[in-house]
Amino acid sequence: MTGANDILQLDRAHVWHPCTQMKDHEQQPPLEIVRGDGSLVFDAAGRRYIDGISSWWVNLLGHAHPRLTRVLQEQAATLEQVIFAGFTHAPGARLAARLCAAAPGGYAKVFYADCGSAAVGQPRKRRFLSIVGAYHGETLGALSVGGLALYREKFAPLLLDTLLVPGPDCFRCPCQQTRATCAAECFAPMQAALDAHAADLAAVFIEPLVQCANGMNMYSPVYLKKLAAACAAAGVHLIADEIAVGFGRTGTLFACEQAGIAPDFMCLSKGLTGGYLPFAAVLVRDLQTFDAFYGEHAEQKAFYHSHSYTGNPMACRLALETLDILETEVLAALPARITALQHVLASLAGLEHVGETRQCGFIGAIELVAARAGKRAYPPEQRTGWQVYRAALRRGAILRPLGDVVYFMAPLTIPLDVLEELGAIARDSIREVTER
Ligand SMILES: Cc1ncc(COP(=O)(O)O)c(C=O)c1O
């Protein structure tokens, strides 16, 4: 039998954790989580934590969801995996049809991958365009279309040549319009880039409505509408990365619905399996791309790319069940939760060091500032957001920040009283760190 201390020792000796300065663990060892239940997880000592960030945005319907656990068990006992080249199975075929029908505007084909980064894909024409602050994952292709220096810089010599243009930044933008109407001036750099480079560009990558990794930067659907129209006019594909924002997070099943657009490709992952298994799908809207790879064997045109776990039946089954639960139970109850989140954010907006609170559907963010006047940022070395995270952890909530942006991206099923508790923990933790 291995005790809690043994686990920490084994971890310390052998595990290299993702997105972590491992030296931090000399002072603050990782928490050993042993169990999840709904919006809560429990550590080895039995303490409960509200999962305010859905475990990196994947846990859509709460931990250990009885229906998801049941279909996973059933599927594992029946067919846990089979090669998806030359073979198919009911969950894979049904899910493809279901996703094609559910996505706005209707899609023709689905290609399965095994994580969000893999879903972001490979170049066909020469260059991609994306916006500053974009995050699309961490394979070299996905990193190449990312626009966050923190992730890009160390690998810059290895990356594809991508065109990065300034995108909407409503917190610091001088135009001072509201998010609902803004996008006129903010769209100008994108239009100029498309005008200048259309002939070169294979596609534009965009995270619809919220650049999550970029401090939950939220922007207007008007920007997306303009982008879709401009891409169509320029003959450049539009790829919507709904990996973080899809499946109800923004209040609609897909974020693109709010702009009334149907991008050429849509990348899905994270919530797709309710957060149970790594899995991703790329939706392809029309047959033009598919046909480019379609032909006689001798033509050697096939899309000869794959992942070992492509179309994993357990993941497909979980995704089908997730869609059922969303459509029959969760989406109808979402407006009440979105309103409750609005109240939580309103209760935080007046704090001395809150520069802004913002919300898109069931995603809420709190921008911490050293001074409200001029929206003066804290010196990064103070790690203000990180300190709030530690303070919240002591109070029983997981609110891992993005720099000095503390945010809520809780499971869509979080009970309203737990959401309120999460808000109270955020308030007390922010005050503890910023008002001392
Ligand atoms: C918008 C977006 N795209 C892609 C990814 C990469 O997904 P994964 O971590 O599963 O590779 C992420 C992960 O956070 C994301 O937020």
Side-chain angles (χ1 to χ4, degrees):
M1 213 26 207
T2 322
N5 283 339
D6 301 333
I7 296 297
L8 290 186
Q9 271 170 23
L10 292 177
D11 182 284
R12 179 83 190 273
H14 300 294
V15 179
W16 189 350
H17 286 272
C19 205
T20 297
Q21 173 44 262
M22 292 296 291
K23 195 168 194 316
D24 283 351
H25 285 328
E26 287 176 12
Q27 307 299 325
Q28 301 153 353
L31 267 181
E32 186 198 348
I33 297 298
V34 294
R35 185 167 75 81
D37 182 8
S39 48
L40 306 175
V41 293
F42 297 83
D43 72 10
R47 287 201 60 195
R48 90 197 242 284
Y49 301 87
I50 305 170
D51 189 350
I53 58 158
S54 296
S55 289
W56 259 345
W57 323 337
V58 301
N59 184 272
L60 192 73
L61 305 174
H63 295 272
H65 191 288
R67 284 177 60 179
L68 294 179
T69 304
R70 185 174 48 75
V71 297
L72 177 59
Q73 284 168 341
E74 269 173 28
Q75 191 58 47
T78 317
L79 176 68
E80 84 301 338
Q81 166 69 342
V82 67
I83 176 172
F84 208 54
F87 300 83
T88 191
H89 45 71
R94 289 205 178 107
L95 178 63
R98 183 97 175 254
L99 289 174
C100 282
Y107 281 69
K109 298 280 177 190
V110 174
F111 187 86
Y112 293 122
D114 53 12
C115 70
S117 306
V120 166
Q122 317 278 329
R124 184 174 151 253
K125 271 163 70 179
R126 281 204 296 139
R127 275 181 112 186
F128 290 107
L129 186 157
S130 54
I131 59 179
V132 173
Y135 182 83
H136 298 286
E138 313 223 357
T139 58
L140 281 184
L143 201 57
S144 299
V145 289
L148 282 166
L150 176 69
Y151 305 109
R152 284 183 69 89
E153 267 171 4
K154 283 202 179 66
F155 297 98
L158 303 177
L159 301 181
L160 302 172
D161 171 29
T162 301
L163 198 59
L164 270 178
V165 303
D169 176 357
C170 297
F171 181 56
R172 298 199 186 272
C173 181
C175 80
Q176 295 296 313
Q177 294 193 45
T178 66
R179 275 195 180 84
T181 55
C182 179
E185 287 145 71
C186 298
F187 192 70
M190 175 64 81
Q191 186 64 63
L194 282 168
D195 289 346
H197 301 281
D200 242 14
L201 289 171
V204 173
F205 269 89
I206 193 86
E207 294 156 90
L209 298 186
V210 189
Q211 285 188 307
C212 294
N214 188 23
M216 296 293 162
N217 178 28
M218 299 173 185
Y219 63 91
S220 163
V222 176
Y223 186 93
L224 281 180
K225 260 191 216 302
K226 289 188 176 199
L227 180 59
C231 283
V236 173
H237 283 136
L238 180 61
I239 302 177
D241 177 347
E242 291 239 7
I243 286 167
V245 294
F247 301 104
R249 288 283 182 204
T250 65
T252 43
L253 188 59
F254 297 107
C256 284
E257 288 170 40
Q258 295 182 38
I261 63 164
D264 301 289
F265 300 87
M266 200 183 264
C267 305
L268 305 173
S269 186
K270 292 195 185 275
L272 176 60
T273 60
Y276 266 57
L277 286 180
F279 189 49
V282 180
L283 275 50
V284 184
R285 185 158 60 103
D286 61 37
L287 288 176
Q288 201 192 352
T289 311
F290 178 80
D291 286 344
F293 295 92
Y294 197 84
E296 298 298 333
H297 174 73
E299 293 177 73
Q300 290 288 301
K301 290 165 72 173
F303 189 66
Y304 281 121
H305 301 276
S306 59
H307 301 279
S308 306
Y309 289 99
T310 290
N312 176 266
M314 296 185 294
C316 291
R317 195 62 201 284
L318 284 164
L320 283 166
E321 194 71 9
T322 297
L323 284 167
D324 275 348
I325 298 170
L326 277 175
E327 285 168 11
T328 57
E329 294 173 15
V330 174
L331 290 180
L334 201 51
R337 286 199 168 70
I338 291 173
T339 307
L341 180 62
Q342 212 174 324
H343 294 314
V344 164
L345 290 168
S347 75
L348 300 170
L351 296 183
E352 196 184 332
H353 291 277
V354 169
E356 178 187 70
T357 59
R358 48 184 176 263
Q359 181 176 8
C360 179
F362 202 51
I363 307 173
I366 306 138
E367 182 98 31
L368 301 176
V369 288
R372 284 178 166 211
K375 300 179 178 175
R376 186 159 59 81
Y378 280 105
E381 60 277 12
Q382 274 188 24
R383 301 183 81 185
T384 306
W386 190 257
Q387 291 184 57
V388 172
Y389 161 59
R390 298 298 306 178
L393 213 47
R394 286 195 293 278
R395 291 179 167 85
I398 304 176
L399 283 173
R400 192 184 156 103
L402 294 152
D404 290 340
V405 176
V406 175
Y407 66 90
F408 303 110
M409 212 205 265
L412 304 184
T413 51
I414 187 172
L416 293 181
D417 59 331
V418 181
L419 182 60
E420 253 175 53
E421 189 187 340
L422 183 65
I425 291 178
R427 187 184 57 240
D428 293 346
S429 306
I430 291 171
R431 293 198 64 181
E432 178 193 318
V433 171
T434 62
E435 295 179 18
R436 60 188 163 200

